[in-house]
Amino acid sequence: MQGITIALSKGRIFEETRPLLEAAGIRAAEDPETSRKLIIETNRPDVRIIIVRASDVPTYVQHGGADLGIAGKDVLMEHGGEGLYQPLDLGIARCRLMVAVREGFDYALAVQQGARLRVATKYLQVSREHFAAKGVHVDLIKLYGSMELAPLVGLADAIVDVVSSGNTLKANRLVAVEEIASISARLVVNQASLKLAGTSLRPIMDAFARASAVAT
Ligand code: PRT
Ligand code: MG
């Protein structure tokens, strides 16, 4: 039988996926936080885990570099989800995709006055659609991380980023002014894998579904 490859990112996605893997009888042979290996074997000879950037998970699964993957809805919205079957909301790694500005910046007034806003984000596609739908004119500035810094140094008027506790915003004297989407991590499946290896993927998908239903 053809083996199964699962694409995960280090950090919160891997940590919050661990119990779901456990429920499917899958245990990683090494901890990706300490190992430098990008392919991690598991207790099951037919299952391996690949460690990729969070934003690369949909790409690996779409092109068959992995059969299954777990990615935040923010990442999937930005990617577009093309070629991916998305059967399951796992309810993990929850956060909200928000527009945030510096304390004291009157976002509502700027929007009302039809001002052109400079928005820093790594979510270019999602932001473009969001502001276009609201009829707000924006200049988007692509960043790869630490978006919270941009308004503080005058690079942008606003940011679009995910927020969970809100502590990072607060520590940098930013306030969330608009929610774009409520986010959680989703299971994504390569469509061809589902057809070819459907019988071997199904038990894993079912175990994830049961375990996430229990957890949420
Ligand atoms: O780190 P890398 O650039 O490779 O990618 P990434 O930052 O997207 O990956 P990772 O592992 O940090 O996040 C993976 C997924 O977890 C995201 O795609 C989201 O769906 C989800 N998630 C849930 C979060 C958060 N919560 C979160 N808080 N992703 C990022 N954050 C950031 C947030 O932007 C802020 O800068 O964590 C910081 C702390 O957040 P607060 O609000 O708790 O202070
Ligand atoms: Mg990160």
Side-chain angles (χ1 to χ4, degrees), residues 20-101:
L20 303 179
L21 291 170
E22 204 70 48
I26 299 166
R27 239 170 308 107
E30 280 172 273
D31 181 351
E33 300 302 330
T34 51
S35 171
R36 287 178 182 264
K37 284 195 181 158
L38 299 174
I39 300 178
I40 296 189
E41 302 300 328
T42 72
N43 61 312
R44 281 179 49 173
D46 62 329
V47 179
R48 61 183 188 168
I49 296 168
I50 60 171
I51 302 299
V52 304
R53 286 290 290 266
S55 48
D56 288 334
V57 167
T59 307
Y60 275 88
V61 176
Q62 175 186 5
H63 296 288
D67 303 292
L68 301 178
I70 295 178
K73 187 184 169 192
D74 52 326
V75 167
L76 293 168
M77 287 167 73
E78 185 66 17
H79 176 269
E82 197 196 323
L84 297 173
Y85 175 54
Q86 295 182 38
L88 202 55
D89 178 353
L90 298 169
I92 59 172
R94 287 181 183 280
C95 55
R96 297 190 296 161
L97 188 62
M98 308 284 292
V99 181
V101 299

Side-chain angles (χ1 to χ4, degrees), residues 39-212:
I39 300 178
I40 296 189
E41 302 300 328
T42 72
N43 61 312
R44 281 179 49 173
D46 62 329
V47 179
R48 61 183 188 168
I49 296 168
I50 60 171
I51 302 299
V52 304
R53 286 290 290 266
S55 48
D56 288 334
V57 167
T59 307
Y60 275 88
V61 176
Q62 175 186 5
H63 296 288
D67 303 292
L68 301 178
I70 295 178
K73 187 184 169 192
D74 52 326
V75 167
L76 293 168
M77 287 167 73
E78 185 66 17
H79 176 269
E82 197 196 323
L84 297 173
Y85 175 54
Q86 295 182 38
L88 202 55
D89 178 353
L90 298 169
I92 59 172
R94 287 181 183 280
C95 55
R96 297 190 296 161
L97 188 62
M98 308 284 292
V99 181
V101 299
R102 265 170 63 184
E103 275 177 23
F105 180 86
D106 195 336
Y107 174 74
L109 183 66
V111 167
Q112 190 196 319
Q113 290 178 338
R116 199 170 181 92
L117 293 177
R118 293 166 306 149
V119 178
T121 185
K122 66 176 177 184
Y123 303 100
L124 284 189
Q125 302 303 333
V126 173
S127 300
R128 188 172 291 121
E129 278 171 36
H130 173 75
F131 292 108
K134 285 183 50 109
V136 176
H137 298 288
V138 291
D139 290 319
L140 296 174
I141 300 162
K142 168 78 182 184
L143 291 178
Y144 292 88
S146 301
M147 273 75 81
E148 293 91 349
L149 181 61
L152 306 183
V153 295
L155 183 67
D157 304 306
I159 63 170
V160 169
D161 192 12
V162 294
V163 177
S164 50
S165 69
N167 289 339
T168 305
L169 291 183
K170 202 175 296 169
N172 293 292
R173 310 192 69 166
L174 301 174
V175 286
V177 288
E178 205 161 76
E179 176 169 329
I180 299 178
S182 173
I183 304 292
S184 54
R186 313 293 160 112
L187 180 67
V188 290
V189 184
N190 176 274
Q191 283 173 347
S193 303
L194 192 61
K195 290 196 190 105
L196 292 174
T199 49
S200 52
L201 291 187
R202 274 293 165 199
I204 297 178
M205 293 165 63
D206 291 345
F208 280 11
R210 279 194 304 274
S212 60

